[in-house]
Amino acid sequence: MAILPILCYPNPRLHKVAKPVAQVDERIQTLVKDMLETMYDAQGIGLAATQIDVHERVIVIDVSEKRNEPMALINPEILWASEGKQLGEEGCLSVPCIYDGVERSIAVKVKALDENGNSREIDAEGMLAICIQHEMDHLLGKVFVEYLSPLKRNRIKTKLVKAQKQALRA
Ligand code: ZN
């Protein structure tokens, strides 16, 4: 297993659209394991392959309090999304130290393959529903700050570019 580097906004590679996984094989199982290890290490509740510069439709999630309910969603598809929306505060491992409100469907029904290639459907609500929608956006090359106003987004961009330059110098 390995902890992988996470791309930081505004890295243009975060905007690449991920391709479907053709076959859930050993390579994908290793990817899932590495992504989970990377997510736990960074204390995140979700991670999309896009964020570690792998552009295939794989996400991992664990929204449990004890951090012992890992979940892999391969080739996820939203079958249904509630019309009802909720505004929740979101953060992202690719946008460190920034939190802001995003409106998402309260509940979603998702179909995906697990790490063994078995198809399953998940009825998600609350935190899990938000997390799935957030991670699936990553697979489409979309980062949550794109829901914010251009003014806010530019402020975030400037702040992160500055922080990344400082980190390089340190
Ligand atoms: Zn994210």
Side-chain angles (χ1 to χ4, degrees):
M1 298 225 281
I3 293 168
L4 307 162
I6 298 174
L7 297 178
C8 256
Y9 186 79
N11 190 315
R13 302 187 69 79
L14 283 169
H15 302 303
K16 281 188 78 168
V17 177
K19 292 195 178 86
V21 170
Q23 199 188 348
V24 181
D25 52 15
E26 216 171 291
R27 182 182 67 87
I28 295 296
Q29 284 166 347
T30 302
L31 175 66
V32 166
K33 276 184 200 151
D34 288 347
M35 283 173 64
L36 281 167
E37 197 181 352
T38 303
M39 178 189 78
Y40 286 127
D41 177 70
Q43 293 175 355
I45 58 169
L47 185 73
T50 309
Q51 293 175 274
I52 50 148
D53 208 13
V54 172
H55 302 280
E56 293 180 75
R57 294 184 61 79
V58 178
I59 64 182
V60 294
I61 289 176
D62 187 347
V63 294
S64 71
E65 231 166 85
K66 289 188 177 164
R67 322 279 293 140
N68 57 0
E69 292 171 30
M71 193 188 266
L73 276 69
I74 299 163
N75 295 343
E77 263 178 74
I78 302 241
L79 299 175
W80 171 85
S82 68
E83 271 175 42
K85 307 256 179 174
Q86 61 187 345
L87 186 70
E89 181 117 305
E90 287 186 26
C92 178
L93 293 176
S94 293
V95 192
C97 304
I98 306 283
Y99 300 89
D100 217 316
V102 177
E103 213 177 58
R104 307 245 187 218
S105 290
I106 294 170
V108 289
K109 191 182 184 75
V110 184
K111 188 180 155 186
L113 300 175
D114 66 13
E115 65 276 24
N116 298 313
N118 297 318
S119 179
R120 60 175 175 180
E121 286 184 11
I122 299 159
D123 287 299
E125 52 177 42
M127 182 75 102
L128 181 59
I130 291 175
C131 192
I132 289 175
Q133 292 171 82
H134 176 116
E135 301 310 331
M136 284 184 69
D137 271 355
H138 275 303
L139 300 179
L140 296 173
K142 192 163 181 179
V143 181
F144 86 98
V145 296
E146 287 166 65
Y147 290 104
L148 309 177
S149 70
L151 184 68
K152 264 191 186 172
R153 195 163 57 240
N154 279 329
R155 266 195 216 136
I156 291 169
K157 227 180 244 178
T158 308
K159 198 174 160 182
L160 291 179
V161 167
K162 210 171 144 189
Q164 283 160 35
K165 272 188 195 148
Q166 273 167 357
L168 281 179
R169 258 187 249 129

